[in-house]
Amino acid sequence: MSHAFQQCIHPDCQTTYDLGQILTACKKCGSLLDIQYNWDRVSVPSSMKEFEKRWASRLNPLDFSGVWRFRNLLPFPADSDIVTIGEGQTILQKNDLLGAKIGMNADSLFLQYEGLNPSGSFKDNGMTAASTHAKMVGAKITACASTGNTSASLAIYAGVSGLFKCVVFVGSGKIAYGKLSQALDYGATTLQIKGDFDDALARVRELCDQHPIYLCNSVNPFRLEGQKTIMYRIMEGLGWEVPDWIVVPGGNLGNSSSFGKAFIELKQLGLIDRVPRLAIINAAGASTLDQLFNSDELRWNDGKNDSDLIRNYYEVMDKEDQRASTLASAIEINRPVNLVKALRALSFCDGVVRSVSDQQIVDSRAMIAATGFGCEPASGATIAGLQMLREEGVIAASDRVACVLTGHQLKDPDLTVAYHTGDPKKHEEKLHPAGVFEMPYANPPIVVENDVAAIVSALGLG
Ligand SMILES: *Cc1c(COP(=O)(O)O)cnc(C)c1O
Ligand SMILES: [Zn+2]
């Protein structure tokens, strides 16, 4: 067998599959799959610092990519198979101004700004890896279901590489315009189905089971390999130190799962000696993980988690036709496909889960923007969650915290403008039904006559 392979995560199964198979679940037991490596057959640097040397050879596209310059830690493709468009040029930035507002000490709050990716969200970290595997297996058509950013990302990789056609499924009505415009502009075949994200994902999985179409949702274990590198870049931003906390919004839980896997491997390889704690933040209107983890005390339990508990939870959800509902559309998901892997990450990283309201999400998003970091609502959940954990005393003022800002501000400008202008129409349509009634950080435009004297007076200068 090659040094890299796919493996069922269930401890009683652990069936392995070679890299050439196109799978999104174990054929024997239906559990999720990991990409695993025989590390003694891979050349891994003795220290993470070694990766800095690749900055000197940035003209090589593999060394320029913020994902593939760490390719020794996700060594499933040959270099010639890698599909890259320069993703992962993202940076960890300290933000003391914002930190002070939410009760953090100076030098404690760091933002990992993943909105700076080519398609404007962290999804590109994963899509470069999924596209690489799609190329390895000779896929002709790729597909995904999406709340918006996955489709934007898949569309840009399909468009730029010219290797595959791509089909994206979005739910009706819910998608933010910035994201929809990207899928259309990059040339994806876009299917708007009558249903929500969970429906769209169920349909695309059926389609990919029956036809030779390559699925790029986060059930794809190759995609999650790329997302591990977000953690490497956070460590790089801290001079290769591990922060005390990673805070991330939770939707389908692909990020949370891949972050956990990143730290499990770094520990196993002796590249770190301690592990950060993980805080996963749900929106209150899409809080399956929070409910199962905190109310029902569902745990990883060495892979022997209580599947009846999960099944019952979904049965009740279906019977009562409970639909996910939040303004943070990127995390508006009721059936997180990576739930079990996220439990593993929570267990390894001594994690916590919280839910935050839409009011807290939009206020936090505006606070982040006012300190210079434009992000979309789902990313705002990180700071809202951090604030909650600070108030509870779970996170200390002096802890070093890295929050992942998952998507760019311009993905969802409608919501931003509705918040700042208090536009009565948008107010009613968008904000009030979601329980958002106050806009403490609103910065509305000032309407003024076409006249210098009026402008001077409006600015308070006259
Ligand atoms: C996809 C997405 C999320 C959710 O990430 P998961 O890995 O599905 O938990 C959060 N924020 C943004 C901006 C996203 O695009
Ligand atoms: Zn299995």
Side-chain angles (χ1 to χ4, degrees):
M1 190 180 271
S2 136
H3 66 277
F5 52 93
Q6 310 185 60
Q7 185 167 40
C8 173
I9 67 166
H10 199 288
D12 294 340
C13 179
Q14 299 189 39
T15 305
T16 59
Y17 303 92
D18 66 43
L19 294 180
Q21 300 209 43
I22 303 174
L23 300 167
T24 51
C26 175
K27 286 201 264 190
K28 280 207 185 125
C29 75
S31 298
L32 294 165
L33 299 170
D34 269 336
I35 308 307
Q36 293 290 4
Y37 307 96
N38 287 315
W39 289 110
D40 42 9
R41 290 166 57 187
V42 176
S43 106
V44 180
S46 56
S47 135
M48 292 295 278
K49 201 166 164 45
E50 291 286 310
F51 287 110
E52 285 174 19
K53 292 187 182 146
R54 297 214 162 122
W55 284 112
S57 48
R58 291 168 65 96
L59 286 181
N60 172 355
L62 301 191
D63 289 345
F64 179 70
S65 165
V67 172
W68 297 106
R69 65 191 166 87
F70 297 104
R71 57 195 174 279
N72 312 57
L73 297 174
L74 51 154
F76 68 85
D79 284 1
S80 57
D81 283 326
I82 291 174
V83 179
T84 173
I85 58 171
E87 58 286 319
Q89 302 304 315
T90 63
I91 24 174
L92 186 73
Q93 293 194 43
K94 192 168 74 166
N95 192 333
D96 284 347
L97 277 180
L98 181 60
K101 286 186 192 160
I102 58 172
M104 300 292 303
N105 290 354
D107 303 325
S108 298
L109 176 62
F110 297 82
L111 304 177
Q112 176 64 18
Y113 197 7
E114 290 298 313
L116 296 181
N117 272 291
S119 82
S121 85
F122 79 82
K123 297 294 196 303
D124 295 349
N125 292 280
M127 217 49 86
T128 181
S131 301
T132 294
H133 185 244
K135 181 179 174 191
M136 286 165 69
V137 297
K140 295 283 177 284
I141 308 178
T142 54
C144 69
S146 180
T147 61
N149 282 333
T150 306
S151 59
S153 184
L154 180 59
I156 199 174
Y157 278 91
V160 170
S161 71
L163 290 168
F164 356 85
K165 291 200 168 121
C166 97
V167 187
V168 308
F169 285 59
V170 296
S172 36
K174 294 288 194 166
I175 186 169
Y177 257 38
K179 306 178 187 182
L180 181 60
S181 68
Q182 289 180 291
L184 302 175
D185 232 11
Y186 295 135
T189 302
T190 306
L191 299 178
Q192 242 173 333
I193 76 151
K194 293 179 182 153
D196 63 11
F197 172 82
D198 294 301
D199 297 319
L201 182 59
R203 296 298 84 71
V204 76
R205 291 186 82 164
E206 279 169 19
L207 181 78
C208 293
D209 281 347
Q210 293 158 14
H211 297 274
I213 302 178
Y214 186 92
L215 183 65
C216 290
N217 279 98
S218 55
V219 284
N220 179 321
F222 293 92
R223 208 184 105 178
L224 298 191
E225 289 302 287
Q227 291 170 214
K228 294 190 302 193
T229 63
I230 301 170
M231 294 301 102
Y232 310 153
R233 296 198 296 275
I234 286 181
M235 288 176 55
E236 185 172 45
L238 295 173
W240 303 110
E241 281 177 22
V242 176
D244 296 310
W245 286 91
I246 301 288
V247 186
V248 63
N252 249 332
L253 303 175
N255 251 351
S256 317
S257 301
S258 70
F259 298 172
K261 186 170 188 280
F263 291 115
I264 290 171
E265 290 170 350
L266 292 181
K267 191 87 200 303
Q268 183 192 344
L269 291 166
L271 290 168
I272 51 175
D273 50 18
R274 56 186 279 270
V275 174
R277 295 188 69 187
L278 179 66
I280 305 178
I281 314 300
N282 276 162
S287 59
T288 298
L289 179 68
D290 179 26
Q291 302 282 333
L292 285 171
F293 187 79
N294 290 319
S295 307
D296 298 342
E297 294 181 19
L298 178 68
R299 291 294 181 273
W300 164 245
N301 196 19
D302 292 325
K304 300 187 180 165
N305 48 84
D306 189 343
S307 50
D308 287 342
L309 199 63
I310 303 174
R311 203 171 314 115
N312 292 342
Y313 184 87
Y314 287 148
E315 259 170 33
V316 172
M317 208 166 74
D318 286 343
K319 210 186 300 158
E320 297 177 356
D321 196 27
Q322 287 174 26
R323 298 277 167 171
S325 174
T326 168
L327 288 174
S329 55
I331 50 174
E332 189 174 46
I333 293 170
N334 253 347
R335 288 174 181 270
V337 294
N338 290 298
L339 175 66
V340 175
K341 282 186 177 176
L343 293 174
R344 179 176 67 182
L346 285 164
S347 157
F348 189 74
C349 297
D350 188 15
V352 299
V353 182
R354 292 292 182 275
S355 302
V356 291
S357 70
D358 278 6
Q359 179 77 59
Q360 290 169 310
I361 287 174
V362 296
D363 289 345
S364 295
R365 200 212 58 74
M367 270 170 69
I368 299 167
T371 57
F373 292 80
C375 68
E376 64 170 281
S379 317
T382 55
I383 293 299
L386 170 57
Q387 197 165 6
M388 183 179 275
L389 290 162
R390 270 295 298 125
E391 281 160 16
E392 290 174 17
V394 174
I395 295 183
S398 58
D399 283 349
R400 283 218 290 188
V401 180
C403 294
V404 183
L405 299 186
T406 45
H408 200 278
Q409 176 186 39
L410 299 178
K411 293 281 191 174
D412 197 352
D414 280 22
L415 180 63
T416 308
V417 174
Y419 185 92
H420 286 295
T421 58
D423 180 319
K425 192 154 158 281
K426 293 223 167 104
H427 241 81
E428 264 169 47
E429 275 175 14
K430 214 159 179 172
L431 300 175
H432 287 180
V436 175
F437 295 100
E438 289 165 48
M439 287 86 194
Y441 304 100
N443 178 31
I446 303 164
V447 180
V448 63
E449 291 299 323
N450 185 9
D451 170 73
V452 169
I455 294 169
V456 166
S457 131
L459 291 175
L461 299 172

